[in-house]
PDB file of all heavy atoms in Angstrom:
ATOM      1  N   PRO A  25      -2.641  41.325  42.415  1.00 91.00           N
ATOM      2  CA  PRO A  25      -4.074  41.613  42.315  1.00 91.00           C
ATOM      3  C   PRO A  25      -4.746  41.601  43.688  1.00 91.00           C
ATOM      4  O   PRO A  25      -4.512  40.719  44.504  1.00 91.00           O
ATOM      5  CB  PRO A  25      -4.607  40.477  41.442  1.00 91.00           C
ATOM      6  CG  PRO A  25      -3.418  39.965  40.702  1.00 91.00           C
ATOM      7  CD  PRO A  25      -2.249  40.166  41.620  1.00 91.00           C
ATOM      8  N   ILE A  26      -5.563  42.587  43.909  1.00 88.00           N
ATOM      9  CA  ILE A  26      -6.290  42.738  45.167  1.00 88.00           C
ATOM     10  C   ILE A  26      -7.715  42.220  44.968  1.00 88.00           C
ATOM     11  O   ILE A  26      -8.389  42.605  44.023  1.00 88.00           O
ATOM     12  CB  ILE A  26      -6.298  44.212  45.618  1.00 88.00           C
ATOM     13  CG1 ILE A  26      -4.859  44.658  45.909  1.00 88.00           C
ATOM     14  CG2 ILE A  26      -7.206  44.406  46.816  1.00 88.00           C
ATOM     15  CD1 ILE A  26      -4.712  46.147  46.177  1.00 88.00           C
ATOM     16  N   GLU A  27      -8.141  41.345  45.878  1.00 89.00           N
ATOM     17  CA  GLU A  27      -9.500  40.801  45.792  1.00 89.00           C
ATOM     18  C   GLU A  27     -10.494  41.591  46.621  1.00 89.00           C
ATOM     19  O   GLU A  27     -11.650  41.712  46.249  1.00 89.00           O
ATOM     20  CB  GLU A  27      -9.506  39.330  46.207  1.00 89.00           C
ATOM     21  CG  GLU A  27      -8.786  38.457  45.198  1.00 89.00           C
ATOM     22  CD  GLU A  27      -9.015  36.983  45.433  1.00 89.00           C
ATOM     23  OE1 GLU A  27      -9.528  36.586  46.504  1.00 89.00           O
ATOM     24  OE2 GLU A  27      -8.662  36.222  44.524  1.00 89.00           O
ATOM     25  N   ASP A  28     -10.034  42.130  47.754  1.00 85.00           N
ATOM     26  CA  ASP A  28     -10.953  42.854  48.626  1.00 85.00           C
ATOM     27  C   ASP A  28     -10.166  43.785  49.528  1.00 85.00           C
ATOM     28  O   ASP A  28      -9.018  43.494  49.883  1.00 85.00           O
ATOM     29  CB  ASP A  28     -11.755  41.857  49.479  1.00 85.00           C
ATOM     30  CG  ASP A  28     -12.894  42.517  50.241  1.00 85.00           C
ATOM     31  OD1 ASP A  28     -13.488  43.493  49.715  1.00 85.00           O
ATOM     32  OD2 ASP A  28     -13.190  42.082  51.371  1.00 85.00           O
ATOM     33  N   ILE A  29     -10.799  44.905  49.883  1.00 82.00           N
ATOM     34  CA  ILE A  29     -10.211  45.846  50.836  1.00 82.00           C
ATOM     35  C   ILE A  29     -11.269  46.157  51.888  1.00 82.00           C
ATOM     36  O   ILE A  29     -12.378  46.568  51.558  1.00 82.00           O
ATOM     37  CB  ILE A  29      -9.755  47.154  50.155  1.00 82.00           C
ATOM     38  CG1 ILE A  29      -8.696  46.864  49.102  1.00 82.00           C
ATOM     39  CG2 ILE A  29      -9.230  48.134  51.206  1.00 82.00           C
ATOM     40  CD1 ILE A  29      -8.266  48.089  48.303  1.00 82.00           C
ATOM     41  N   GLN A  30     -10.920  45.922  53.136  1.00 83.00           N
ATOM     42  CA  GLN A  30     -11.785  46.242  54.266  1.00 83.00           C
ATOM     43  C   GLN A  30     -11.159  47.407  55.011  1.00 83.00           C
ATOM     44  O   GLN A  30      -9.969  47.380  55.300  1.00 83.00           O
ATOM     45  CB  GLN A  30     -11.899  45.045  55.213  1.00 83.00           C
ATOM     46  CG  GLN A  30     -12.421  43.784  54.577  1.00 83.00           C
ATOM     47  CD  GLN A  30     -13.919  43.816  54.402  1.00 83.00           C
ATOM     48  OE1 GLN A  30     -14.628  44.346  55.239  1.00 83.00           O
ATOM     49  NE2 GLN A  30     -14.388  43.255  53.304  1.00 83.00           N
ATOM     50  N   LYS A  31     -11.948  48.419  55.318  1.00 81.00           N
ATOM     51  CA  LYS A  31     -11.444  49.544  56.100  1.00 81.00           C
ATOM     52  C   LYS A  31     -11.962  49.400  57.519  1.00 81.00           C
ATOM     53  O   LYS A  31     -13.144  49.199  57.748  1.00 81.00           O
ATOM     54  CB  LYS A  31     -11.895  50.860  55.488  1.00 81.00           C
ATOM     55  CG  LYS A  31     -11.350  51.035  54.084  1.00 81.00           C
ATOM     56  CD  LYS A  31     -10.912  52.412  53.841  1.00 81.00           C
ATOM     57  CE  LYS A  31     -10.330  52.444  52.435  1.00 81.00           C
ATOM     58  NZ  LYS A  31      -9.477  53.493  52.182  1.00 81.00           N
ATOM     59  N   SER A  32     -11.015  49.478  58.453  1.00 78.00           N
ATOM     60  CA  SER A  32     -11.365  49.346  59.859  1.00 78.00           C
ATOM     61  C   SER A  32     -10.522  50.326  60.652  1.00 78.00           C
ATOM     62  O   SER A  32      -9.297  50.254  60.622  1.00 78.00           O
ATOM     63  CB  SER A  32     -11.113  47.906  60.320  1.00 78.00           C
ATOM     64  OG  SER A  32     -11.324  47.802  61.701  1.00 78.00           O
ATOM     65  N   SER A  33     -11.175  51.231  61.347  1.00 78.00           N
ATOM     66  CA  SER A  33     -10.496  52.234  62.177  1.00 78.00           C
ATOM     67  C   SER A  33      -9.441  52.998  61.375  1.00 78.00           C
ATOM     68  O   SER A  33      -8.341  53.238  61.855  1.00 78.00           O
ATOM     69  CB  SER A  33      -9.850  51.570  63.396  1.00 78.00           C
ATOM     70  OG  SER A  33     -10.804  50.879  64.142  1.00 78.00           O
ATOM     71  N   GLY A  34      -9.778  53.335  60.136  1.00 72.00           N
ATOM     72  CA  GLY A  34      -8.859  54.106  59.298  1.00 72.00           C
ATOM     73  C   GLY A  34      -7.731  53.305  58.677  1.00 72.00           C
ATOM     74  O   GLY A  34      -6.871  53.861  58.020  1.00 72.00           O
ATOM     75  N   VAL A  35      -7.727  51.992  58.893  1.00 73.00           N
ATOM     76  CA  VAL A  35      -6.679  51.129  58.346  1.00 73.00           C
ATOM     77  C   VAL A  35      -7.293  50.250  57.267  1.00 73.00           C
ATOM     78  O   VAL A  35      -8.369  49.680  57.463  1.00 73.00           O
ATOM     79  CB  VAL A  35      -6.055  50.247  59.458  1.00 73.00           C
ATOM     80  CG1 VAL A  35      -5.062  49.266  58.876  1.00 73.00           C
ATOM     81  CG2 VAL A  35      -5.415  51.113  60.523  1.00 73.00           C
ATOM     82  N   SER A  36      -6.617  50.156  56.134  1.00 72.00           N
ATOM     83  CA  SER A  36      -7.073  49.288  55.052  1.00 72.00           C
ATOM     84  C   SER A  36      -6.488  47.895  55.238  1.00 72.00           C
ATOM     85  O   SER A  36      -5.277  47.742  55.359  1.00 72.00           O
ATOM     86  CB  SER A  36      -6.630  49.839  53.697  1.00 72.00           C
ATOM     87  OG  SER A  36      -7.263  51.062  53.438  1.00 72.00           O
ATOM     88  N   LEU A  37      -7.363  46.913  55.251  1.00 78.00           N
ATOM     89  CA  LEU A  37      -6.942  45.516  55.312  1.00 78.00           C
ATOM     90  C   LEU A  37      -7.143  44.935  53.920  1.00 78.00           C
ATOM     91  O   LEU A  37      -8.273  44.802  53.452  1.00 78.00           O
ATOM     92  CB  LEU A  37      -7.756  44.755  56.352  1.00 78.00           C
ATOM     93  CG  LEU A  37      -7.709  45.331  57.771  1.00 78.00           C
ATOM     94  CD1 LEU A  37      -8.712  44.628  58.672  1.00 78.00           C
ATOM     95  CD2 LEU A  37      -6.310  45.221  58.328  1.00 78.00           C
ATOM     96  N   ILE A  38      -6.042  44.610  53.271  1.00 83.00           N
ATOM     97  CA  ILE A  38      -6.086  44.193  51.875  1.00 83.00           C
ATOM     98  C   ILE A  38      -6.008  42.678  51.786  1.00 83.00           C
ATOM     99  O   ILE A  38      -5.154  42.052  52.395  1.00 83.00           O
ATOM    100  CB  ILE A  38      -4.926  44.838  51.090  1.00 83.00           C
ATOM    101  CG1 ILE A  38      -5.062  46.367  51.132  1.00 83.00           C
ATOM    102  CG2 ILE A  38      -4.890  44.324  49.662  1.00 83.00           C
ATOM    103  CD1 ILE A  38      -3.904  47.106  50.520  1.00 83.00           C
ATOM    104  N   GLN A  39      -6.920  42.116  51.012  1.00 85.00           N
ATOM    105  CA  GLN A  39      -6.901  40.678  50.740  1.00 85.00           C
ATOM    106  C   GLN A  39      -6.462  40.503  49.285  1.00 85.00           C
ATOM    107  O   GLN A  39      -7.103  41.005  48.370  1.00 85.00           O
ATOM    108  CB  GLN A  39      -8.280  40.075  50.942  1.00 85.00           C
ATOM    109  CG  GLN A  39      -8.313  38.592  50.689  1.00 85.00           C
ATOM    110  CD  GLN A  39      -9.707  38.014  50.899  1.00 85.00           C
ATOM    111  OE1 GLN A  39     -10.567  38.616  51.528  1.00 85.00           O
ATOM    112  NE2 GLN A  39      -9.925  36.840  50.362  1.00 85.00           N
ATOM    113  N   PHE A  40      -5.349  39.787  49.104  1.00 88.00           N
ATOM    114  CA  PHE A  40      -4.790  39.577  47.776  1.00 88.00           C
ATOM    115  C   PHE A  40      -5.284  38.274  47.178  1.00 88.00           C
ATOM    116  O   PHE A  40      -5.695  37.362  47.894  1.00 88.00           O
ATOM    117  CB  PHE A  40      -3.252  39.520  47.853  1.00 88.00           C
ATOM    118  CG  PHE A  40      -2.630  40.801  48.284  1.00 88.00           C
ATOM    119  CD1 PHE A  40      -2.238  40.995  49.599  1.00 88.00           C
ATOM    120  CD2 PHE A  40      -2.432  41.826  47.381  1.00 88.00           C
ATOM    121  CE1 PHE A  40      -1.674  42.190  50.007  1.00 88.00           C
ATOM    122  CE2 PHE A  40      -1.851  43.025  47.778  1.00 88.00           C
ATOM    123  CZ  PHE A  40      -1.474  43.204  49.093  1.00 88.00           C
ATOM    124  N   ASN A  41      -5.191  38.177  45.877  1.00 88.00           N
ATOM    125  CA  ASN A  41      -5.357  36.897  45.204  1.00 88.00           C
ATOM    126  C   ASN A  41      -4.182  36.046  45.645  1.00 88.00           C
ATOM    127  O   ASN A  41      -3.032  36.358  45.325  1.00 88.00           O
ATOM    128  CB  ASN A  41      -5.373  37.102  43.690  1.00 88.00           C
ATOM    129  CG  ASN A  41      -5.422  35.802  42.943  1.00 88.00           C
ATOM    130  OD1 ASN A  41      -4.531  34.956  43.052  1.00 88.00           O
ATOM    131  ND2 ASN A  41      -6.475  35.634  42.162  1.00 88.00           N
ATOM    132  N   ILE A  42      -4.438  35.000  46.395  1.00 91.00           N
ATOM    133  CA  ILE A  42      -3.371  34.230  47.037  1.00 91.00           C
ATOM    134  C   ILE A  42      -2.448  33.569  46.020  1.00 91.00           C
ATOM    135  O   ILE A  42      -1.234  33.513  46.220  1.00 91.00           O
ATOM    136  CB  ILE A  42      -3.928  33.217  48.065  1.00 91.00           C
ATOM    137  CG1 ILE A  42      -2.816  32.699  48.968  1.00 91.00           C
ATOM    138  CG2 ILE A  42      -4.662  32.092  47.381  1.00 91.00           C
ATOM    139  CD1 ILE A  42      -2.260  33.714  49.909  1.00 91.00           C
ATOM    140  N   ASP A  43      -2.992  33.076  44.920  1.00 94.00           N
ATOM    141  CA  ASP A  43      -2.146  32.434  43.910  1.00 94.00           C
ATOM    142  C   ASP A  43      -1.174  33.438  43.294  1.00 94.00           C
ATOM    143  O   ASP A  43       0.008  33.133  43.105  1.00 94.00           O
ATOM    144  CB  ASP A  43      -2.997  31.794  42.810  1.00 94.00           C
ATOM    145  CG  ASP A  43      -3.807  30.609  43.315  1.00 94.00           C
ATOM    146  OD1 ASP A  43      -3.372  29.954  44.293  1.00 94.00           O
ATOM    147  OD2 ASP A  43      -4.874  30.337  42.731  1.00 94.00           O
ATOM    148  N   GLU A  44      -1.659  34.615  43.000  1.00 93.00           N
ATOM    149  CA  GLU A  44      -0.799  35.643  42.410  1.00 93.00           C
ATOM    150  C   GLU A  44       0.211  36.178  43.427  1.00 93.00           C
ATOM    151  O   GLU A  44       1.348  36.476  43.077  1.00 93.00           O
ATOM    152  CB  GLU A  44      -1.639  36.785  41.833  1.00 93.00           C
ATOM    153  CG  GLU A  44      -2.434  36.389  40.611  1.00 93.00           C
ATOM    154  CD  GLU A  44      -1.552  35.964  39.453  1.00 93.00           C
ATOM    155  OE1 GLU A  44      -0.519  36.619  39.191  1.00 93.00           O
ATOM    156  OE2 GLU A  44      -1.896  34.960  38.792  1.00 93.00           O
ATOM    157  N   LEU A  45      -0.199  36.277  44.681  1.00 94.00           N
ATOM    158  CA  LEU A  45       0.723  36.707  45.724  1.00 94.00           C
ATOM    159  C   LEU A  45       1.846  35.688  45.886  1.00 94.00           C
ATOM    160  O   LEU A  45       3.029  36.057  45.960  1.00 94.00           O
ATOM    161  CB  LEU A  45      -0.011  36.903  47.052  1.00 94.00           C
ATOM    162  CG  LEU A  45       0.848  37.321  48.245  1.00 94.00           C
ATOM    163  CD1 LEU A  45       1.526  38.667  47.999  1.00 94.00           C
ATOM    164  CD2 LEU A  45      -0.001  37.364  49.516  1.00 94.00           C
ATOM    165  N   GLU A  46       1.511  34.414  45.918  1.00 95.00           N
ATOM    166  CA  GLU A  46       2.539  33.379  46.041  1.00 95.00           C
ATOM    167  C   GLU A  46       3.462  33.368  44.826  1.00 95.00           C
ATOM    168  O   GLU A  46       4.675  33.199  44.970  1.00 95.00           O
ATOM    169  CB  GLU A  46       1.895  32.013  46.257  1.00 95.00           C
ATOM    170  CG  GLU A  46       1.321  31.870  47.647  1.00 95.00           C
ATOM    171  CD  GLU A  46       0.645  30.535  47.889  1.00 95.00           C
ATOM    172  OE1 GLU A  46       0.549  29.692  46.953  1.00 95.00           O
ATOM    173  OE2 GLU A  46       0.197  30.324  49.031  1.00 95.00           O
ATOM    174  N   LYS A  47       2.920  33.560  43.652  1.00 96.00           N
ATOM    175  CA  LYS A  47       3.745  33.634  42.439  1.00 96.00           C
ATOM    176  C   LYS A  47       4.719  34.813  42.540  1.00 96.00           C
ATOM    177  O   LYS A  47       5.900  34.680  42.223  1.00 96.00           O
ATOM    178  CB  LYS A  47       2.834  33.790  41.214  1.00 96.00           C
ATOM    179  CG  LYS A  47       3.564  33.870  39.911  1.00 96.00           C
ATOM    180  CD  LYS A  47       2.578  34.021  38.763  1.00 96.00           C
ATOM    181  CE  LYS A  47       3.297  34.324  37.472  1.00 96.00           C
ATOM    182  NZ  LYS A  47       2.354  34.608  36.380  1.00 96.00           N
ATOM    183  N   PHE A  48       4.230  35.955  43.004  1.00 96.00           N
ATOM    184  CA  PHE A  48       5.076  37.134  43.199  1.00 96.00           C
ATOM    185  C   PHE A  48       6.212  36.811  44.175  1.00 96.00           C
ATOM    186  O   PHE A  48       7.376  37.107  43.916  1.00 96.00           O
ATOM    187  CB  PHE A  48       4.216  38.292  43.725  1.00 96.00           C
ATOM    188  CG  PHE A  48       4.994  39.509  44.124  1.00 96.00           C
ATOM    189  CD1 PHE A  48       5.354  40.459  43.187  1.00 96.00           C
ATOM    190  CD2 PHE A  48       5.366  39.716  45.448  1.00 96.00           C
ATOM    191  CE1 PHE A  48       6.075  41.595  43.551  1.00 96.00           C
ATOM    192  CE2 PHE A  48       6.086  40.841  45.823  1.00 96.00           C
ATOM    193  CZ  PHE A  48       6.433  41.779  44.867  1.00 96.00           C
TER     194      PHE A  48
END
């Protein structure tokens, strides 16, 4: 699950749900 996406200079910086990322 993605919590937030920041676009900077054409690059997407994705912030994941940390608990779900660690579980994965």
Side-chain angles (χ1 to χ4, degrees):
I26 296 172
E27 291 192 347
D28 190 33
I29 299 176
Q30 302 282 324
K31 298 221 177 201
S32 174
S33 303
V35 175
S36 294
L37 303 171
I38 299 174
Q39 181 180 342
F40 295 99
N41 175 299
I42 195 69
D43 293 333
E44 291 298 318
L45 178 61
E46 287 179 357
K47 180 180 171 186
F48 173 85

